[in-house]
Amino acid sequence: MNAEYEYLFKLLTRLKLVMIKEKLDFLLEEASKKDMNLREALTFFCEQEVQNKDHKRIQMGINLAKFPFSRTLDQFDFSAQPSIDNGQIRELSTCRWIGNGDALLLLGPPGVGKTHLAISLGREAIRQGYSVLFIQAAALLTQLAKAHLDGNLEDKINQFSKAKLLIIDELGYLPFDPKAAHLFFQLVSKRYEKGSTLITSNRSVSEWGEVFGDSVVAAAILDRLLHHSHVVIIRGESYRLKEKRKSGLINDQKLKDIK
Ligand code: ADP
Ligand code: MG
């Protein structure tokens, strides 16, 4: 390596332009092959660096979010779920609601794509620079209850209040202990108007009193959540069952038996 090259490498290292440094020969060749002028070449080099940094940032955000599996909006078949307004989901994918600190409720029976949409919107939020944390409601409650017992509830609530978007999945599958409902209320209050909360639930809002085992606490939680909120109600049958039926794996009689 000649001295000039070495000097350029040092500068790139100092500026942390890792991608340009790594692909320098290739980039210089491309720039010359495509007859780029200096401005075009500089733009091309910077683009490569920015793409690489974005990719790394997104990967790190996805790791920190702890999604249970990977899903994207592109993988969502809107034609299979006519009760969902494609336009509303596209609007939500702009993440303006997160910028405003609004809440989002995705409600509907099991298997209709609530978790799929929640993860997809979470990934979109990360792409746009927001921090995201995904947790199942039951796990969240267990952690809050344990922290309460151990005397460090405040730390735990602060921990769950850090992410700009907190996704709480499957609220309502298990009924809450009324004490737990109060802990949940404290978390919702702390996050209120600071960050956004996305909740998926198989129970309608009118059933939340039952879910929380305390209608007063449920009303207080809903008051905070619904103040600035968006609600997507999904109707219809489970996507998996529908797919199985399409492929002939189950017939309508068996489906009725399952139900
Ligand atoms: P829910 O959270 O409402 O119970 P999920 O989001 O877990 O449902 O969906 C169940 C499975 O079906 C997942 O693998 C999901 O990716 C898939 N799925 C559901 N709805 C759709 C859809 N409209 N298009 C593509 N895949 C879907
Ligand atoms: Mg789900």
Side-chain angles (χ1 to χ4, degrees):
M1 201 189 285
N2 68 33
E4 279 168 23
Y5 229 82
E6 238 172 75
Y7 179 56
L8 175 55
F9 262 52
K10 260 192 199 150
L11 293 176
L12 291 171
T13 306
R14 177 140 173 230
L15 291 171
K16 298 195 173 75
L17 299 173
V18 281
M19 201 60 188
I20 298 181
K21 187 175 141 190
E22 208 172 283
K23 289 170 73 178
L24 188 62
D25 286 338
F26 166 79
L27 296 177
L28 288 170
E29 230 170 79
E30 280 293 298
S32 130
K33 244 198 270 172
K34 291 186 178 149
D35 251 344
M36 292 182 198
N37 62 31
L38 286 176
R39 182 192 50 76
E40 286 165 343
L42 187 58
T43 306
F44 173 57
F45 285 24
C46 290
E47 257 170 14
Q48 301 287 316
E49 190 62 45
V50 168
Q51 271 173 20
N52 182 52
K53 286 199 165 41
D54 275 350
H55 179 73
K56 279 197 181 143
R57 177 183 59 75
I58 292 169
Q59 277 316 312
M60 190 183 280
I62 287 174
N63 290 343
L64 290 173
K66 302 202 179 83
F67 295 124
F69 47 83
S70 167
R71 288 290 184 282
T72 63
L73 268 190
D74 290 342
Q75 295 165 338
F76 196 81
D77 178 3
F78 283 95
S79 67
Q81 204 49 265
S83 70
I84 298 181
D85 175 2
N86 189 338
Q88 186 185 13
I89 303 297
R90 296 283 157 203
E91 168 59 29
L92 290 168
S93 75
T94 65
C95 298
R96 260 194 288 269
W97 61 283
I98 301 173
N100 295 337
D102 298 350
L104 171 61
L105 306 185
L106 301 179
L107 308 176
V112 292
K114 300 182 298 296
T115 304
H116 185 139
L117 288 173
I119 294 172
S120 307
L121 292 172
R123 286 177 69 108
E124 207 45 51
I126 292 168
R127 222 173 55 76
Q128 296 193 24
Y130 295 114
S131 53
V132 176
L133 181 65
F134 181 108
I135 188 157
Q136 289 208 330
L140 172 68
L141 261 298
T142 306
Q143 290 194 36
L144 290 180
K146 184 171 183 306
H148 184 51
L149 272 180
D150 296 347
N152 52 16
L153 180 65
E154 204 176 323
D155 289 350
K156 202 69 191 175
I157 286 182
N158 285 338
Q159 188 189 323
F160 283 119
S161 301
K162 269 190 207 137
K164 180 70 184 167
L165 172 64
L166 179 66
I167 301 177
I168 303 171
D169 197 30
E170 297 194 347
L171 187 90
Y173 276 85
L174 298 171
F176 279 35
D177 163 329
K179 256 191 248 134
H182 200 77
L183 301 178
F184 190 78
F185 169 73
Q186 289 185 52
L187 174 64
V188 169
S189 297
K190 174 87 192 195
R191 290 189 59 81
Y192 180 57
E193 287 186 339
K194 280 202 200 104
S196 283
T197 307
L198 187 165
I199 296 182
T200 82
S201 178
N202 60 334
R203 310 286 293 268
S204 71
V205 164
S206 59
E207 293 172 307
W208 281 24
E210 218 178 288
V211 169
F212 288 105
D214 181 325
S215 57
V216 176
V217 176
I221 290 169
L222 280 170
D223 179 61
R224 306 269 183 303
L225 282 178
L226 295 179
H227 186 200
H228 300 285
S229 69
H230 307 260
V231 181
V232 176
I233 297 173
I234 313 174
R235 294 186 185 84
E237 69 172 329
S238 155
Y239 183 78
R240 283 199 211 97
L241 286 183
K242 210 187 285 185
E243 287 297 289
K244 277 192 184 147
R245 188 161 48 174
K246 244 199 277 173
S247 68
L249 273 174
I250 47 176
N251 60 34
D252 283 337
Q253 189 50 50
K254 277 195 194 146
L255 198 60
K256 274 186 199 132
D257 295 344
I258 294 171
K259 280 177 178 169

